[in-house]
Amino acid sequence: MRRDTPKSFDVLFQMRLIFYSLIVPVAVGISYIFGTLLPNGLSEPGSPLMQSLAIIGTLLLVITFYGVLSKRFGKPGRIGTVIHIISANIGTILVIVHSGGTIFATPGSLIILLFVIMLLGGLLRIVMPLNFSKTFGTKLRGFTSLEDNTRKELRKIISSKEDLLAQLEPNAQEGLFSLRLQHWIQAPLLAYQYRKLEKLEEKIIGYRNSVKPIQAYCRRLHQIFSWLLLIGITVHIITVTFFANYVADGRPIYWWHIEDWG
Amino acid sequence: MPRLALMIDLERCTGCKSCEAACKSEHALGPTERHNRVVWLGSKLEENSDNNKALDFLALSCQHCERPACVRACPVSPKAISKNKETGVVTVNEDACVGCGECVTACPYGAMGFDPDGRHAVKCDLCSDRRAEGSTTTACAAVCPTKAITFGPRDELLNTTEANNREMIKNDPFLLGPATIYLDRITNKQEKFDAADRNSPKVIDSFTNISINDTVFPYGHDREDREITRIESGGCNICFNSCTTKFHFKDDKLVKITGNEEDPALQGRVCPKSQISIQLYSSKMRLTQPLKRIGKRGDNNFEPISWDQALDEIAQKMRSIKKTNGSEALGLFSGTRTGTLTNRGYIRMFSKLWGTPNFVTTEPFCSSGKNLAYSMTQGYSGPGNSYTESDMGSAALHVYWGDNQAETRPVHFGMINDWRLKKGSRMIVIDPRKTVTASKADWHIPIRPGGDMALALAIIHYIFEKNLHDEVFCKAWVLGWEKWKSFILKKGYTPEWAAKFADISVNQIYKLAEEIAHADGCIIYGSRGINQHMNSTQSNRVLMFLAAITGNWGRPGGAYFNMSASLPIDLQIPEDKLADIKKPKLRTSPVGWTKAILEGKPYPLRSMFVNNNPMALWPDQSETRKALLALDLLVHIDIFPNETSAFADYVLPAATGIEKGEVGRACEDRRIVWIDRMISPPGSAKPDGWIWIELGKRFGFEDVLKEEWKDSAKFWDEALISNIQLRGVTQKRLHSNPYKWVRFPVSTEEEPEIQTLYLEGSTAPGAPKGKRFPTDSGKLEFFTDELEKKFSAYGLSALPEFYGDKESLINMPHLEVIDDDSESGILGPFASGGLSIRGQIVSPKTPGSNTKAIQEGYNLELITGRPAAPHFHSWTHYSWQSQEMWPDLYVQIHPKTARKLGVKDGALVLIESRHGSIHARAWLYSGMRPTSVFIPIGWGERQPFSKWHSVNFLTDKTQRDPISEQTNLKSLLCRVKPI
Ligand code: HEM
Ligand code: SF4
Ligand code: SF4
Ligand code: SF4
């Protein structure tokens, strides 16, 4: 089979980045308009309808995480990525609808985060593949010389890594090994020390400095903001569930609060 | 299994990118998707950019590291990249890859590829699929024209490195343990190779917006879809290297084109073009139907019509033009794509039956100067040596003089360079710019454009003065050499005299003369750099004289070698069928026809059939276009629409190579390579032969241009090989070996091939017994009374007197052309009896137009010529991959000069000559003479991928050699401005 997209999709392909960057603002706009049109009882973020949307949206966002992280546990990566993108899109829209398009309230910062994440995700998916591809042959650091001292340092780093690895995963080969979630859970201190050595080595090799910053950090930022989002959502859930009064600030509290400690 | 690796020799690699083509073809990789890339490296562009580091090539692919950074960076578990414990091969599992790009960021060699369409990493795995199918080598190593890439167990490669005493480049600063071995330069080497003091020019591999959607089968298809079911041997029909190839099919679909490893001469080596030509065969842009113009000429508006309608209407128009203006009012021009069988056979026959003398090929742009010079001197229009180890490979000295063989016949150069390195012979390159050929030389002499004849005369002067000539050879085999000797001495063509014209120091001239005189076997290669001047014929003769007086003629490893060997095809047409031609041929060069079209002088030319692309190829585009637009009938026959088709009344879709069956281009090695017809042309496109035979039927020519000759193999045997030199090159003999070539001359199917012609004691093929050379005297002829008579008709003398080109930064003796193209001039005694221009040598003291031009700011010497190996004229501009490698028209300019003009590397600039202006991108190149710029040919403003005006908007049709009518394309004045 030919790995090909028909020509008519070309335009759409170019458009997709715009699509990803617009998805959040458009969803916000539409939700806001809906909010003004729907009766108050329905449009409140805490209303049963909006609440259900929030729950489904959040679940989808969790699946979004699962989608990409599953590859780290040996699940098929490419299917994961597809799940990741689909669930991220629907989840994001649902969560925004739930918010009623309010970006100025405290939880609004989560929506801004979503916007940034979607934009970075879109970049990663649409623009970066071509950048990755065009990187071929553009860095020739491997054909330059390195100062003797730096090489000595590098040698030391490698042998320290080998020492640590003997404790972390005795059967592994340093040259092929990198940390997985399992190591962080089982031996966080060793993992941390190992990571520090890796960082030193990466710095000498050039690594992220060897390509354009956008290419080097796009995924990193997408990741960081995603984890921030996860933390933000958790905090949001805790506050609305356990500090309902504080959140409601005079508006009705529905069935959803478990305890009002606020 | 041992650890496997590639070994890459920087001394050999010519940056041709054949390995890139092979890799993409083997793995069906689409645009920007790579497993390898040949990185061109220049010197840094600082104040004193180092000429010694002007050009090197780094063939880059995965290094198969011991501690692969890419593997460690991969976030997937289990890793999507793995390393084979035994072979050390690092492989990506494309299905497991999530496309995060971390490995790309991690690899410090920039050797991790990525499929932008499938969004996953791709990489070199040392052709594991191919090896699993039984191949013993990788795709890249198999085709490399220069043997720069070797594949094998790493230990064995290291042993050969040691045995050959070669130094390795340090490629492991980060302790990753790369397997790939890089051998450092030997010649021209200043210090250890370090990529940190190199710069990669912006015009190469600069990415275009080509996507997988611009490609067709097999690119982007899985291996199962591409399983080979049939392989046929044939050849490449693109350049004079005439390489043998293999065509690999899945059923009827062409899957790839490779070299033919069964060929003992070429051993499977090919340049990128033959491999990439699969993209031409299957291109979506091919012309597939006859087209008829609707609307204004040049609007490029056409309607599809049937062949019958097209040919009937064309024939009708031809008849009416003949009626009013005579049969000579038809001009026929045929370029290289059309092929030898058509150019030398079908069209030529048609022209004789129709009755027009006005049929020309590209010869007056390429090689007519050398053809005439050879004919006068040797009696036959091409060199007699061959690309074999015991002939050309045995030379002690190779002097490339205006011949950039590494880029124009990459495989032959690879062979010569290989033999040279093994034997330890010297290589000198005389060229205004450090061409790829020059970058490999022991000594590069950056001569002033147009100074070649002066330099050659001075060398001869030195040799005669010091008595270094081969007197025995001269006395026995050269007619008129003593006259020549006294002429040279009397004229005072000393090194001191030549130094200024050639811009080379006197001592260097002495040294060069000594080297040539003392070498035991010296081959002087000359090519377009010698031919494309107003002194084309005379320069060629002087270089021939130089070879002759040093005994370098008719011996293995010694020659003046200006390609190529023209095929001695005689057409058999019964006398009574020949049309009556009343008027002599207009100029030998078709650019001399413009006045005949525009003003009807010397006589009117009203209709033309053009094959290929005059609207990019012919010098002086503004005049050319004006003329072609003024024709009553313009028929264009080609495989792709181009600038010319846009102006045509009818466009006829042609076939090429394996779609029609033909021989390779006139091979400089005298090998005639037969290419069978293997597939049908696209749509209703037809072989050129079919078109001429069908058109001929409209005029009743079918008893000569026979229906059955549509079969090109039959046509070859029955119509083209009657000359004694070709009689043995029958279809039977061509098909009797697995590589389908025969080296001519052979007079029978059994006669053995001759490696070196004109050896002492031999008789020249076709000549009366005892005549060593096929001249009347049987000797090489420098001077005869008859020659003198002929030369003087043009205003010149048989003993070559120095003159240069008209446009130059210094005042040289140069030639002023006397006859305008609207005038009859003379009936040229040399050039096929046509009307010729005359010239007059003007002394340097007469202030030429140069002074004024320089004052107007035209203070750079413009050289035009062939671009890098993946391109050939306009053909390759329809292949996405050539385009990916070399997308843009460029102008090479010295960094110092560029700085003065405020031009940056890769920037768009305007180039103006006194004849026109174009745009191009700047390539700051320290291998350029600071006073010269170079712009390649082949680009056109209607090409599909990137549109640029042809460099021929800058050239001048009036600057022609009177004898050969070659146009000066190598020495013009221009100015460059940033935009
Ligand atoms: C709410 C929205 C999203 C969240 C929370 C999210 C979260 C994440 C996280 C945590 C990763 C890192 C995975 C790792 O550590 O290996 C990641 C990677 C990635 N994301 Fe997203 N993402 C979101 C939306 C998107 C969208 C809309 C796209 C594409 C259009 C996208 C494309 C990608 C890609 C291409 C990667 C890198 C591939 C990989 O590492 O597997 N993401 N995302
Ligand atoms: S194929 Fe050409 S570019 Fe590649 S290594 Fe050989 S000479 Fe160099
Ligand atoms: S050269 Fe680059 S891609 Fe190849 S194994 Fe080494 S790190 Fe990986
Ligand atoms: S273009 Fe010339 S060198 Fe290249 S493969 Fe064809 S014949 Fe050989």
Side-chain angles (χ1 to χ4, degrees):
Chain A
M1 235 221 1
R2 188 189 158 95
R3 310 184 296 271
D4 194 357
T5 37
K7 197 93 190 172
S8 51
F9 280 97
D10 261 20
V11 185
L12 281 180
F13 184 83
Q14 314 286 340
M15 303 268 299
R16 275 192 305 174
L17 188 59
I18 304 171
F19 173 74
Y20 286 118
S21 53
L22 285 183
I23 216 163
V24 172
V26 169
V28 166
I30 293 176
S31 310
Y32 184 79
I33 295 165
F34 259 112
T36 54
L37 295 181
L38 283 178
N40 250 5
L42 278 179
S43 71
E44 281 294 335
S47 71
L49 173 67
M50 293 303 167
Q51 193 58 35
S52 318
L53 292 185
I55 292 170
I56 301 169
T58 308
L59 275 177
L60 282 170
L61 287 183
V62 172
I63 293 174
T64 301
F65 275 82
Y66 175 78
V68 276
L69 294 178
S70 62
K71 65 174 185 246
R72 297 187 175 231
F73 318 115
K75 295 275 181 314
R78 301 190 77 179
I79 300 170
T81 306
V82 173
I83 296 175
H84 176 75
I85 296 169
I86 294 173
S87 58
N89 281 307
I90 303 174
T92 300
I93 293 170
L94 293 184
V95 168
I96 292 174
V97 174
H98 147 79
S99 78
T102 42
I103 41 170
F104 300 110
T106 324
S109 55
L110 293 182
I111 295 178
I112 294 171
L113 261 183
L114 272 172
F115 171 71
V116 176
I117 295 168
M118 292 292 273
L119 192 65
L120 289 166
L123 268 178
L124 258 175
R125 190 71 183 155
I126 294 153
V127 180
M128 285 310 128
L130 209 55
N131 279 35
F132 296 151
S133 165
K134 290 175 179 182
T135 302
F136 200 105
T138 58
K139 36 176 172 168
L140 301 178
R141 291 178 57 91
F143 301 94
T144 58
S145 50
L146 202 62
E147 271 178 42
D148 284 349
N149 278 343
T150 324
R151 265 172 82 91
K152 257 187 223 145
E153 201 183 313
L154 200 51
R155 217 164 261 136
K156 242 171 57 199
I157 294 169
I158 295 170
S159 79
S160 309
K161 276 171 83 185
E162 280 165 349
D163 294 345
L164 275 179
L165 199 57
Q167 305 171 52
L168 252 177
E169 199 176 316
N171 293 330
Q173 225 182 311
E174 182 277 329
L176 302 171
F177 174 82
S178 57
L179 291 163
R180 292 189 302 278
L181 205 55
Q182 160 206 344
H183 303 107
W184 288 102
I185 295 166
Q186 285 167 0
L189 193 67
L190 283 179
Y192 173 72
Q193 286 172 329
Y194 197 87
R195 182 68 202 130
K196 252 176 56 183
L197 290 169
E198 279 184 338
K199 283 248 177 203
L200 283 175
E201 184 184 2
E202 285 169 10
K203 204 171 152 216
I204 295 172
I205 298 188
Y207 207 43
R208 295 202 190 274
N209 287 339
S210 67
V211 292
K212 285 192 216 118
I214 175 84
Q215 184 178 336
Y217 294 105
C218 193
R219 182 166 172 274
R220 264 289 122 92
L221 289 174
H222 183 73
Q223 258 173 319
I224 292 170
F225 287 129
S226 299
W227 289 111
L228 277 180
L229 178 79
L230 196 65
I231 296 169
I233 291 177
T234 315
V235 170
H236 177 69
I237 292 173
I238 292 172
T239 42
V240 293
T241 320
F242 298 105
F243 303 89
N245 231 339
Y246 165 73
V247 177
D249 198 16
R251 286 170 300 167
I253 301 171
Y254 296 90
W255 53 269
W256 38 266
H257 75 278
I258 293 177
E259 205 64 67
D260 183 13
W261 292 333
Chain B
M1 241 226 241
R3 189 176 184 199
L4 299 174
L6 291 177
M7 181 167 79
I8 289 153
D9 188 348
L10 266 71
E11 185 60 44
R12 288 167 194 268
C13 176
T14 53
C16 72
K17 291 178 179 273
S18 188
C19 48
E20 278 185 26
C23 182
K24 285 213 182 193
S25 164
E26 180 67 36
H27 307 291
L29 306 177
T32 74
E33 190 186 355
R34 296 168 178 282
H35 292 186
N36 70 353
R37 175 178 156 189
V38 183
V39 183
W40 280 49
L41 294 170
S43 53
K44 287 269 172 210
L45 299 177
E46 278 110 42
E47 202 46 51
N48 289 313
S49 40
D50 185 346
N51 186 278
N52 280 307
K53 293 179 188 163
L55 204 52
D56 270 310
F57 315 100
L58 195 70
L60 178 75
S61 54
C62 172
Q63 312 283 304
H64 300 283
C65 305
E66 207 109 57
R67 299 179 56 249
C70 55
V71 173
R72 276 175 279 137
C74 176
V76 183
S77 173
K79 301 245 175 224
I81 312 173
S82 61
K83 183 169 174 68
N84 184 299
K85 283 203 182 73
E86 288 174 22
T87 59
V89 173
V90 177
T91 313
V92 65
N93 176 351
E94 293 178 6
D95 292 325
C97 171
V98 294
C100 68
E102 290 294 321
C103 53
V104 174
T105 307
C107 171
Y109 299 95
M112 177 56 86
F114 203 86
D115 173 359
D117 192 56
R119 294 191 209 85
H120 56 78
V122 296
K123 72 185 295 301
C124 161
D125 59 0
L126 293 177
C127 284
S128 58
D129 286 344
R130 196 181 137 100
R131 285 184 288 116
E133 287 162 10
S135 175
T136 52
T137 188
T138 58
C140 53
V143 295
C144 177
T146 65
K147 291 191 174 167
I149 307 181
T150 330
F151 166 77
R154 189 163 192 273
D155 286 341
E156 283 175 26
L157 297 175
L158 283 174
N159 287 343
T160 55
T161 305
E162 212 167 292
N164 294 327
N165 222 344
R166 293 294 301 273
E167 232 178 272
M168 281 158 58
I169 284 178
K170 293 212 163 105
N171 62 339
D172 191 17
F174 306 122
L175 307 175
L176 299 186
T180 313
I181 299 163
Y182 285 91
L183 304 180
D184 208 345
R185 293 293 306 269
I186 315 168
T187 55
N188 239 327
K189 188 175 158 185
Q190 297 293 295
E191 48 205 83
K192 278 197 178 311
F193 178 89
D194 190 330
D197 37 69
R198 296 307 179 92
N199 161 65
S200 200
K202 287 220 167 67
V203 295
I204 309 166
D205 303 318
S206 67
F207 294 97
T208 51
N209 51 359
I210 307 168
S211 86
I212 189 81
N213 295 320
D214 295 310
T215 74
V216 290
F217 185 83
Y219 299 94
H221 284 255
D222 291 335
R223 206 167 179 89
E224 305 87 71
D225 296 353
R226 299 182 275 121
E227 204 185 327
I228 311 293
T229 54
R230 174 168 66 103
I231 300 175
E232 288 195 44
S233 65
C236 173
N237 59 336
I238 299 178
C239 91
F240 298 105
N241 211 113
S242 254
C243 296
T244 44
T245 55
K246 280 192 173 172
F247 295 83
H248 303 245
F249 294 89
K250 170 169 184 155
D251 308 322
D252 285 336
K253 267 183 169 169
L254 193 52
V255 175
K256 64 176 177 180
I257 301 170
T258 63
N260 183 346
E261 67 295 342
E262 290 177 90
D263 177 354
L266 302 182
Q267 300 164 355
R269 293 178 268 187
V270 277
C271 93
K273 292 187 283 293
S274 55
Q275 304 172 69
I276 283 172
S277 67
I278 186 174
Q279 295 164 19
L280 304 178
Y281 285 123
S282 58
S283 169
K284 291 185 260 189
M285 286 164 272
R286 286 286 296 273
L287 288 166
T288 55
Q289 271 177 303
L291 301 173
K292 178 183 179 175
R293 173 168 64 84
I294 42 178
K296 250 184 32 229
R297 192 174 265 167
D299 283 357
N300 205 8
N301 257 340
F302 294 93
E303 61 176 357
I305 54 173
S306 71
W307 274 105
D308 274 338
Q309 185 188 345
L311 295 175
D312 288 344
E313 287 185 18
I314 291 168
Q316 182 54 38
K317 291 191 173 151
M318 287 170 73
R319 270 189 214 102
S320 99
I321 292 169
K322 183 175 183 175
K323 207 177 210 171
T324 37
N325 295 292
S327 59
E328 301 85 352
L330 171 70
L332 304 165
F333 168 76
S334 194
T336 57
R337 192 278 311 154
T338 312
T340 305
L341 262 61
T342 309
N343 287 346
R344 306 295 304 279
Y346 298 112
I347 305 191
R348 207 169 283 262
M349 274 193 168
F350 182 92
S351 69
K352 291 192 189 306
L353 298 170
W354 168 264
T356 179
N358 297 314
F359 166 57
V360 286
T361 62
T362 52
E363 252 179 50
F365 305 128
C366 306
S367 59
S368 55
K370 76 94 190 164
N371 284 344
L372 283 167
Y374 269 119
S375 303
M376 292 171 205
T377 312
Q378 176 191 255
Y380 175 67
S381 60
N385 297 65
S386 63
Y387 282 85
T388 49
E389 188 161 4
S390 47
D391 185 349
M392 291 171 75
S394 71
L397 175 63
H398 300 269
V399 181
Y400 284 95
W401 199 324
D403 181 1
N404 179 15
Q405 189 181 41
E407 287 176 285
T408 54
R409 287 103 65 220
V411 178
H412 282 160
F413 179 79
M415 289 157 69
I416 295 288
N417 201 35
D418 181 36
W419 293 321
R420 162 183 96 96
L421 291 173
K422 274 198 224 147
K423 194 174 140 55
S425 38
R426 294 252 309 160
M427 185 196 293
I428 300 173
V429 174
I430 303 166
D431 203 299
R433 62 183 182 123
K434 194 169 229 168
T435 56
V436 172
T437 314
S439 78
K440 298 298 171 200
D442 298 289
W443 184 17
H444 168 219
I445 303 173
I447 192 172
R448 180 196 305 282
D452 310 277
M453 186 172 169
L455 176 63
L457 287 167
I459 293 172
I460 292 170
H461 189 286
Y462 183 91
I463 287 174
F464 276 141
E465 197 181 49
K466 301 266 178 222
N467 267 321
L468 298 176
H469 60 285
D470 184 339
E471 185 127 349
V472 178
F473 183 88
C474 288
K475 280 191 169 143
W477 298 111
V478 184
L479 212 62
W481 72 278
E482 276 167 313
K483 212 173 167 94
W484 169 238
K485 180 179 169 185
S486 41
F487 176 81
I488 290 264
L489 297 176
K490 193 171 122 227
K491 278 277 183 186
Y493 288 146
T494 60
E496 291 72 16
W497 162 85
K500 182 174 126 202
F501 299 129
D503 201 10
I504 299 169
S505 77
V506 174
N507 282 332
Q508 284 184 318
I509 301 178
Y510 295 159
K511 184 166 176 268
L512 183 58
E514 291 275 349
E515 282 209 40
I516 292 175
H518 291 300
D520 179 13
C522 166
I523 303 179
I524 300 173
Y525 302 78
S527 186
R528 296 354 182 197
I530 303 299
N531 302 350
Q532 292 172 338
H533 286 285
M534 293 181 79
N535 58 20
S536 180
T537 313
Q538 295 293 55
S539 284
N540 268 296
R541 288 180 74 225
V542 172
L543 285 168
M544 284 173 190
F545 297 177
L546 172 57
I549 62 163
T550 49
N552 286 303
W553 209 301
R555 62 160 284 180
Y560 174 61
F561 199 94
N562 191 330
M563 55 117 195
S564 74
S566 352
L567 293 184
I569 289 175
D570 298 333
L571 291 178
Q572 303 299 308
I573 305 174
E575 278 294 318
D576 60 325
K577 299 286 174 194
L578 284 172
D580 183 21
I581 301 177
K582 295 184 195 71
K583 299 173 195 159
K585 185 177 186 162
L586 289 163
R587 304 284 185 252
T588 307
S589 169
V591 286
W593 297 356
T594 52
K595 290 281 194 276
I597 302 171
L598 291 166
E599 299 170 16
K601 292 178 190 163
Y603 64 81
L605 189 88
R606 297 307 320 149
S607 60
M608 272 186 81
F609 275 70
V610 292
N611 295 274
N612 316 147
N613 198 4
M615 296 224 182
L617 171 82
W618 289 7
D620 206 336
Q621 278 298 304
S622 24
E623 181 82 1
T624 295
R625 292 181 179 205
K626 230 191 289 165
L628 294 190
L629 271 170
L631 285 164
D632 294 334
L633 173 67
L634 178 62
V635 182
H636 182 229
I637 307 176
D638 216 324
I639 57 175
F640 290 110
N642 58 25
E643 290 68 27
T644 309
S645 58
F647 289 86
D649 299 302
Y650 294 90
V651 180
L652 305 180
T656 184
I658 58 167
E659 296 163 357
K660 61 178 185 182
E662 61 172 313
V663 293
R665 291 288 302 287
C667 176
E668 56 174 335
D669 190 22
R670 290 184 280 116
R671 280 177 291 107
I672 295 176
V673 179
W674 182 258
I675 307 163
D676 279 316
R677 184 183 160 131
M678 300 174 201
I679 55 174
S680 308
S684 58
K686 296 290 179 202
D688 298 82
W690 184 98
I691 299 172
W692 292 102
I693 290 172
E694 282 297 321
L695 185 66
K697 283 183 192 164
R698 268 81 182 164
F699 305 109
F701 301 160
E702 59 270 25
D703 46 350
V704 182
L705 258 176
K706 296 177 205 159
E707 168 74 18
E708 67 216 57
W709 284 352
K710 284 181 181 168
D711 175 348
S712 55
K714 214 169 161 64
F715 183 58
W716 174 261
D717 266 0
E718 293 177 10
L720 301 182
I721 56 171
S722 58
N723 184 294
I724 181 132
Q725 304 200 43
L726 294 180
R727 232 170 269 165
V729 194
T730 59
Q731 286 294 320
K732 188 169 157 224
R733 183 160 180 180
L734 284 165
H735 285 85
S736 67
N737 59 52
Y739 42 89
K740 297 185 184 154
W741 65 254
V742 174
R743 185 178 278 124
F744 80 94
V746 280
S747 61
T748 65
E749 278 181 345
E750 291 74 36
E751 192 176 274
E753 293 162 358
I754 307 169
Q755 184 175 280
T756 314
L757 296 178
Y758 320 126
L759 288 175
E760 181 139 31
S762 70
T763 296
K769 186 114 190 90
K771 290 210 167 167
R772 179 176 177 186
F773 298 101
T775 50
D776 286 347
S777 61
K779 296 181 178 187
L780 299 176
E781 296 183 354
F782 285 13
F783 181 89
T784 62
D785 291 336
E786 199 196 327
L787 274 178
E788 182 59 30
K789 211 169 98 201
K790 286 183 175 176
F791 269 99
S792 61
Y794 295 92
L796 296 167
S797 61
L799 295 173
E801 182 183 347
F802 175 67
Y803 67 90
D805 293 300
K806 199 169 151 187
E807 295 187 23
S808 170
L809 285 180
I810 56 164
N811 276 341
M812 295 196 199
H814 63 274
L815 198 83
E816 290 290 351
V817 171
I818 295 174
D819 304 296
D820 178 56
D821 281 331
S822 59
E823 291 163 281
S824 293
I826 51 160
L827 261 186
F830 284 123
S832 58
L835 298 175
S836 287
I837 48 173
R838 284 163 298 177
Q840 183 185 6
I841 298 176
V842 179
S843 99
K845 287 186 194 78
T846 319
S849 54
N850 287 343
T851 327
K852 197 158 163 252
I854 294 165
Q855 276 164 4
E856 285 167 17
Y858 298 101
N859 57 6
L860 290 168
E861 297 147 338
L862 167 68
I863 308 161
T864 75
R866 278 273 307 280
H871 274 308
F872 190 88
H873 294 277
S874 55
W875 292 33
T876 47
H877 291 263
Y878 296 80
S879 121
W880 59 265
Q881 201 180 353
S882 304
Q883 209 57 36
E884 178 178 56
M885 294 166 175
W886 292 92
D888 295 322
L889 180 69
Y890 56 82
V891 50
Q892 281 181 320
I893 182 166
H894 194 281
K896 241 195 265 170
T897 314
R899 197 173 308 112
K900 269 193 230 143
L901 295 168
V903 169
K904 297 231 154 53
D905 193 34
L908 193 68
V909 293
L910 174 74
I911 305 108
E912 298 169 300
S913 76
R914 296 190 113 188
H915 321 286
S917 65
I918 57 166
H919 291 127
R921 287 181 66 197
W923 171 357
L924 271 51
Y925 181 46
S926 59
M928 213 55 221
R929 276 170 61 84
T931 53
S932 306
V933 296
F934 171 82
I935 305 178
I937 56 172
W939 273 262
E941 78 266 27
R942 288 177 196 260
Q943 285 167 359
F945 295 111
S946 80
K947 301 171 192 327
W948 297 90
H949 279 87
S950 156
V951 67
N952 280 312
F953 279 96
L954 302 178
T955 53
D956 177 14
K957 78 174 195 107
T958 65
Q959 297 186 31
R960 302 203 301 272
D961 171 19
I963 302 165
S964 64
E965 293 244 336
Q966 284 229 218
T967 318
N968 162 31
L969 301 174
K970 298 286 189 213
S971 169
L972 291 140
L973 289 176
C974 73
R975 59 187 181 205
V976 174
K977 289 182 184 160
I979 292 178

